[in-house]
Amino acid sequence: MSQNSTAADRPGIVTLTTDFGVQDGYVGAMKGVVLEIAGSVTVVDITHEIPPQDVEAGAYIFHTAYPHFPDGTIHVVVVDPGVGRKRRGLVVETARYRFVGPDNGVFTPVFQAEADCRMVSLENPEWMRKDVSATFHGRDVFAPAAGYLCQGVEIEAFGPFVTDPVMLDVWAVREEADRLTGRIVHVDRFGNGISNLSEEQVEAAVEGRVVEIGGQIFHRIHRTYGDVVQGEPLLLYGSQGTLEISVNGGSAAEEMGVQRGDEVRLIGKDR
Amino acid sequence: MSQNSTAADRPGIVTLTTDFGVQDGYVGAMKGVVLEIAGSVTVVDITHEIPPQDVEAGAYIFHTAYPHFPDGTIHVVVVDPGVGRKRRGLVVETARYRFVGPDNGVFTPVFQAEADCRMVSLENPEWMRKDVSATFHGRDVFAPAAGYLCQGVEIEAFGPFVTDPVMLDVWAVREEADRLTGRIVHVDRFGNGISNLSEEQVEAAVEGRVVEIGGQIFHRIHRTYGDVVQGEPLLLYGSQGTLEISVNGGSAAEEMGVQRGDEVRLIGKDR
Amino acid sequence: MSQNSTAADRPGIVTLTTDFGVQDGYVGAMKGVVLEIAGSVTVVDITHEIPPQDVEAGAYIFHTAYPHFPDGTIHVVVVDPGVGRKRRGLVVETARYRFVGPDNGVFTPVFQAEADCRMVSLENPEWMRKDVSATFHGRDVFAPAAGYLCQGVEIEAFGPFVTDPVMLDVWAVREEADRLTGRIVHVDRFGNGISNLSEEQVEAAVEGRVVEIGGQIFHRIHRTYGDVVQGEPLLLYGSQGTLEISVNGGSAAEEMGVQRGDEVRLIGKDR
């Protein structure tokens, strides 16, 4: 890792992604712990509004943000319904980043996207707060690990290497003879329903393809919201490069009832 | 611009004002892009809770915060219902700041307040992400522009100079023989209704003046909430120096139904 | 104070805890003022979602976060229903930190926890914005004070020393012959009801002790959520070291109606 030389060039960055909300003191406590250990590091909020204990949503939202950060960034993700029980903690290292969080699948998209992942089970109490609580490992285990990583501690110091992290199996696309079946994997603030069907998958289908969502058939895929009149639904490729259903100037969630988990069927054979 | 010498003195500051909310990964992605390009800059959230696609609200709220930042700050504002269509992007330079965002009126208060504004149409793909999406210019166009401004790129490099930015016409006060008619331009978290009638305008009226809001007549303007008993409505000059309607210990929005757009009439002749 | 030498080692940290929410420009204005005065300081949000004007909640939430920050941190807390009236402002200095905010009890847990507190009444207009508004001392009084503290201004410069700060009397535990009566002092995002009965107090009671909350009797105190089956209520010691009532995988607030202020009775004699 070139982290030490990076750290010489500029202060480290630690991002936080949690389901803690911001109405309590939990996020502030985590920031304090990171800064107390790591000194002049920059702590950046990705979001703290992951729906409580929703590991799948956390994984999805995190993966839309983390790849944009500079090399050397340390990403902490805490969506942790199993806190205090036997689930492991992880410290993961890839070519560009380190990641810290519970081993519950929240890093699934990282493991799918990053070629070289090394990871350890976060076990060494030397790098935890004394008196680790049974309910707040964000403050007592994961924030300290991020702080010590900033300080130059290598991942092997945190525990033994492991190769069997928990993987979520929720973003797979089902392939059948004449169709691909994906689903809505996220509904964003604007009510856009974001699917897991990539532009490549959709564009590889034959010309006569149609897309079916909630019983409604779409023949065209537009470029942007304004390509249809105000209030009309449309399909487009969103900022993640996947098929989205939107309403121009409105909300597909409110007006069409689009929800996470809804099936999205692409009907038409591959070229 | 003295930005380069400022940058030597201290790291740059980039503020973000958006309607993206914080439950998705959009804001995190923008922060990552700024930090990836600009290195050790400080990214500061003004707010991400502008009501979705509400350019007027974005303009109002942004203008209450931006003038307090240090010289050299780069302000990014993304409330962008027209994303992906023909609306321009802008890079604006004033004596103290640079601004980046869509050309849809969101910078109206800046243009009204700042004597010397130079601005360019943000067109040069050299300073954008490759593969600009049609739906997320915050990440692909505006955040990179802010990053490159931090790096010392001059505004003329981003595109041709323009002089005809979109201006909102929503904060004008109507003058008639014996009255000024303004309106509630913002309702804040505490339920205070903030008008566009300035202290100067109100105090210039003759002694017999009254203020009428929603059919209710006010004869006095108080100094602070506690000048009336708990639960009573009152008028005062708020932190923007304009007339506000409040309820001491309560919410004018909830208890009096005050809403953005309500007319506020100042009746009484000028001195 | 070792602040000056600390400042040489690393840039200062200013934390913000307010009830301003993030939908208005108030927080952005405060950040701008701090950065304008203090230069390259790091501004860290603890929370801006204290319920409006709820000093008790602000005091509780703040005290769960502030002790985790590094020595030299300056903590600004603005929950200020009395703004513009006669309530004092305070600048408080302890061995590790400085604190700035209204004198309304919001620092009660600080005064209870910190051995050596020196404090002054924040009165000197030299360290305030010109034209202090009657409604927004966060921007005009408290943020500037934090900025000037970062710049090395000593607390005695802000006003005369005082020794009689407002103290809240809401976290006291009532002791009777065979019982301790505490209460739920906070309900967090996950619906956990956090009491003010410490592990020491509970564990000092005799073996036959029971805990009664809302008419429900608990005989056992578990270690973590997963020690009971999904959907079951339980008691445990939370991350503040006090007794909490939770529902594994659920919300004690929603499912049991737990609210702030509810009494929590520990029945059983001291050893």
Side-chain angles (χ1 to χ4, degrees):
Chain A
M1 289 294 290
S2 60
Q3 172 64 9
N4 289 331
S5 55
T6 305
D9 299 342
R10 59 177 169 196
I13 294 169
V14 174
T15 77
L16 303 181
T17 303
T18 78
D19 66 346
F20 293 157
V22 290
Q23 65 268 59
D24 301 307
Y26 300 133
V27 170
M30 284 185 68
K31 292 177 180 176
V33 169
V34 171
L35 292 165
E36 161 79 354
I37 295 170
S40 60
V41 74
T42 299
V43 179
V44 179
D45 298 308
I46 289 183
T47 178
H48 302 289
E49 299 296 341
I50 304 296
Q53 313 198 336
D54 188 336
V55 176
E56 179 187 333
Y60 182 81
I61 291 165
F62 174 65
H63 108 283
T64 68
Y66 86 83
H68 301 290
F69 282 82
D71 288 5
T73 296
I74 293 163
H75 295 291
V76 181
V77 183
V78 188
V79 183
D80 196 12
V83 65
R85 279 180 285 176
K86 286 199 169 32
R87 70 101 189 88
R88 296 184 301 204
L90 290 178
V91 181
V92 180
E93 184 177 88
T94 66
R96 302 184 59 199
Y97 304 125
R98 267 84 55 87
F99 303 83
V100 181
D103 182 19
N104 59 15
V106 79
F107 294 124
T108 302
V110 175
F111 301 139
Q112 291 173 339
E114 307 286 337
D116 294 307
C117 282
R118 303 193 317 151
M119 71 194 81
V120 300
S121 173
L122 177 41
E123 297 176 10
N124 188 342
E126 184 174 350
W127 314 116
M128 300 176 186
R129 280 185 85 218
K130 311 210 180 314
D131 301 321
V132 170
S133 71
T135 58
F136 191 10
H137 287 194
R139 179 192 67 189
D140 299 343
V141 177
F142 301 125
Y148 288 115
L149 284 169
C150 293
Q151 288 289 79
V153 176
E154 301 287 336
I155 74 162
E156 37 269 69
F158 290 90
F161 281 96
V162 294
T163 55
D164 58 344
V166 173
M167 298 284 281
L168 298 180
D169 185 27
V170 292
W171 295 291
V173 170
R174 196 167 74 235
E175 298 192 46
E176 289 163 294
D178 68 338
R179 70 188 57 193
L180 291 179
T181 304
R183 61 184 195 108
I184 300 298
V185 293
H186 183 63
V187 174
D188 76 7
R189 176 191 212 204
F190 300 91
N192 300 310
I194 303 168
S195 85
N196 56 344
L197 292 172
S198 71
E199 182 169 354
E200 292 71 30
Q201 289 173 316
V202 178
E203 294 302 319
V206 292
E207 294 258 325
R209 67 163 155 61
V210 297
V211 176
E212 190 250 297
I213 300 181
Q216 197 163 349
I217 299 287
F218 293 85
H219 292 271
R220 289 194 55 187
I221 293 162
H222 289 278
R223 203 186 60 84
T224 194
Y225 310 123
D227 291 343
V228 300
V229 298
Q230 190 84 356
E232 278 294 301
L234 75 155
L235 294 184
L236 48 66
Y237 300 114
S239 57
Q240 288 299 310
T242 59
L243 202 63
E244 273 182 40
I245 181 157
S246 300
V247 170
N248 182 25
S251 162
E254 281 178 25
E255 290 159 46
M256 307 178 61
V258 172
Q259 292 183 26
R260 193 171 83 188
D262 287 356
E263 291 205 337
V264 181
R265 287 182 205 87
L266 173 72
I267 303 168
K269 285 187 189 306
D270 280 0
R271 284 193 198 99
Chain B
M1 288 296 290
S2 60
Q3 173 64 9
N4 290 331
S5 56
T6 305
D9 298 343
R10 60 179 169 194
I13 295 170
V14 174
T15 77
L16 302 181
T17 302
T18 79
D19 66 347
F20 292 156
V22 290
Q23 66 268 58
D24 301 308
Y26 299 134
V27 170
M30 285 185 68
K31 292 177 180 177
V33 169
V34 171
L35 292 165
E36 161 80 354
I37 296 170
S40 61
V41 73
T42 299
V43 179
V44 179
D45 297 309
I46 288 182
T47 179
H48 302 290
E49 299 296 341
I50 304 297
Q53 313 199 335
D54 188 335
V55 176
E56 179 187 333
Y60 182 81
I61 291 165
F62 175 64
H63 108 285
T64 68
Y66 85 83
H68 301 290
F69 281 83
D71 289 6
T73 297
I74 293 163
H75 295 291
V76 180
V77 183
V78 188
V79 183
D80 195 11
V83 63
R85 279 181 284 178
K86 286 197 168 31
R87 71 101 188 88
R88 295 185 301 205
L90 291 178
V91 180
V92 181
E93 183 177 88
T94 66
R96 301 183 62 198
Y97 304 125
R98 268 85 54 87
F99 302 84
V100 180
D103 181 20
N104 59 15
V106 79
F107 294 123
T108 302
V110 174
F111 301 140
Q112 291 173 339
E114 307 286 339
D116 295 306
C117 284
R118 303 193 315 152
M119 70 194 82
V120 299
S121 174
L122 176 42
E123 297 175 9
N124 188 342
E126 185 175 351
W127 313 115
M128 300 176 186
R129 279 185 87 216
K130 310 207 183 317
D131 301 322
V132 170
S133 70
T135 57
F136 191 9
H137 286 195
R139 178 192 66 188
D140 298 342
V141 177
F142 301 125
Y148 289 115
L149 285 168
C150 292
Q151 289 288 79
V153 176
E154 300 287 336
I155 74 161
E156 37 269 68
F158 290 89
F161 281 96
V162 295
T163 56
D164 58 344
V166 173
M167 299 284 280
L168 298 181
D169 185 28
V170 291
W171 296 290
V173 171
R174 197 167 73 235
E175 298 193 45
E176 289 163 295
D178 68 337
R179 68 188 59 193
L180 291 180
T181 304
R183 61 183 196 108
I184 300 298
V185 292
H186 183 62
V187 175
D188 75 7
R189 178 192 210 202
F190 300 93
N192 299 310
I194 303 167
S195 85
N196 56 345
L197 292 172
S198 72
E199 181 168 355
E200 293 70 31
Q201 288 174 317
V202 177
E203 295 302 320
V206 291
E207 294 258 325
R209 66 164 155 60
V210 297
V211 175
E212 191 249 299
I213 300 181
Q216 197 163 348
I217 299 287
F218 293 84
H219 292 271
R220 290 194 54 188
I221 294 161
H222 289 278
R223 204 186 59 83
T224 194
Y225 309 123
D227 291 344
V228 300
V229 297
Q230 189 84 357
E232 278 294 300
L234 75 155
L235 294 184
L236 48 67
Y237 299 115
S239 56
Q240 288 300 310
T242 60
L243 202 62
E244 272 182 42
I245 181 157
S246 300
V247 169
N248 182 25
S251 162
E254 280 179 26
E255 290 158 44
M256 307 179 61
V258 171
Q259 293 183 24
R260 193 171 83 188
D262 287 355
E263 292 205 336
V264 180
R265 288 182 204 85
L266 173 71
I267 303 168
K269 286 186 189 305
D270 280 359
R271 285 195 196 98
Chain C
M1 289 296 290
S2 60
Q3 173 63 12
N4 290 331
S5 55
T6 305
D9 298 342
R10 59 179 171 194
I13 295 169
V14 173
T15 76
L16 303 182
T17 303
T18 78
D19 65 348
F20 292 157
V22 290
Q23 66 268 58
D24 301 307
Y26 299 133
V27 169
M30 285 185 68
K31 292 177 179 176
V33 169
V34 171
L35 291 165
E36 161 80 354
I37 295 170
S40 61
V41 74
T42 299
V43 179
V44 179
D45 298 307
I46 289 183
T47 179
H48 303 289
E49 300 296 342
I50 304 296
Q53 312 198 336
D54 188 336
V55 176
E56 180 187 334
Y60 182 81
I61 291 165
F62 175 64
H63 108 284
T64 68
Y66 85 83
H68 300 291
F69 281 82
D71 288 7
T73 296
I74 293 163
H75 294 291
V76 180
V77 183
V78 188
V79 183
D80 195 12
V83 63
R85 280 181 285 177
K86 286 196 171 25
R87 70 102 188 87
R88 295 185 302 204
L90 290 179
V91 180
V92 181
E93 183 177 270
T94 67
R96 301 184 59 199
Y97 304 126
R98 268 82 55 86
F99 302 83
V100 180
D103 182 20
N104 60 15
V106 78
F107 294 123
T108 302
V110 175
F111 301 140
Q112 291 173 339
E114 307 286 338
D116 295 306
C117 283
R118 304 192 314 153
M119 71 195 80
V120 301
S121 173
L122 177 42
E123 297 176 9
N124 188 343
E126 185 175 350
W127 313 116
M128 300 175 187
R129 280 184 85 217
K130 309 208 183 314
D131 301 321
V132 170
S133 70
T135 58
F136 191 10
H137 286 195
R139 179 191 66 188
D140 299 343
V141 177
F142 301 124
Y148 288 114
L149 285 168
C150 292
Q151 289 288 81
V153 176
E154 301 286 337
I155 74 162
E156 36 269 69
F158 290 90
F161 281 97
V162 295
T163 55
D164 58 344
V166 173
M167 299 284 279
L168 298 180
D169 184 28
V170 292
W171 295 290
V173 170
R174 197 167 74 235
E175 299 192 45
E176 287 162 295
D178 67 338
R179 68 186 60 191
L180 292 180
T181 303
R183 61 183 195 108
I184 300 297
V185 293
H186 183 62
V187 175
D188 76 7
R189 177 192 211 202
F190 301 92
N192 300 310
I194 303 168
S195 85
N196 57 345
L197 293 172
S198 71
E199 181 168 355
E200 291 71 30
Q201 288 173 317
V202 177
E203 294 302 320
V206 291
E207 293 259 324
R209 66 163 156 59
V210 296
V211 176
E212 191 249 298
I213 300 180
Q216 197 162 347
I217 299 288
F218 292 84
H219 292 271
R220 289 193 55 187
I221 294 162
H222 288 279
R223 202 186 60 84
T224 193
Y225 309 123
D227 291 343
V228 300
V229 298
Q230 189 84 356
E232 278 294 299
L234 76 156
L235 294 183
L236 48 66
Y237 299 115
S239 57
Q240 288 300 310
T242 60
L243 202 63
E244 272 182 41
I245 181 158
S246 301
V247 169
N248 181 25
S251 162
E254 281 178 26
E255 289 157 47
M256 306 178 62
V258 171
Q259 293 184 24
R260 193 171 83 188
D262 287 355
E263 291 205 337
V264 181
R265 287 181 204 87
L266 173 72
I267 303 168
K269 286 187 190 303
D270 281 359
R271 286 194 196 98

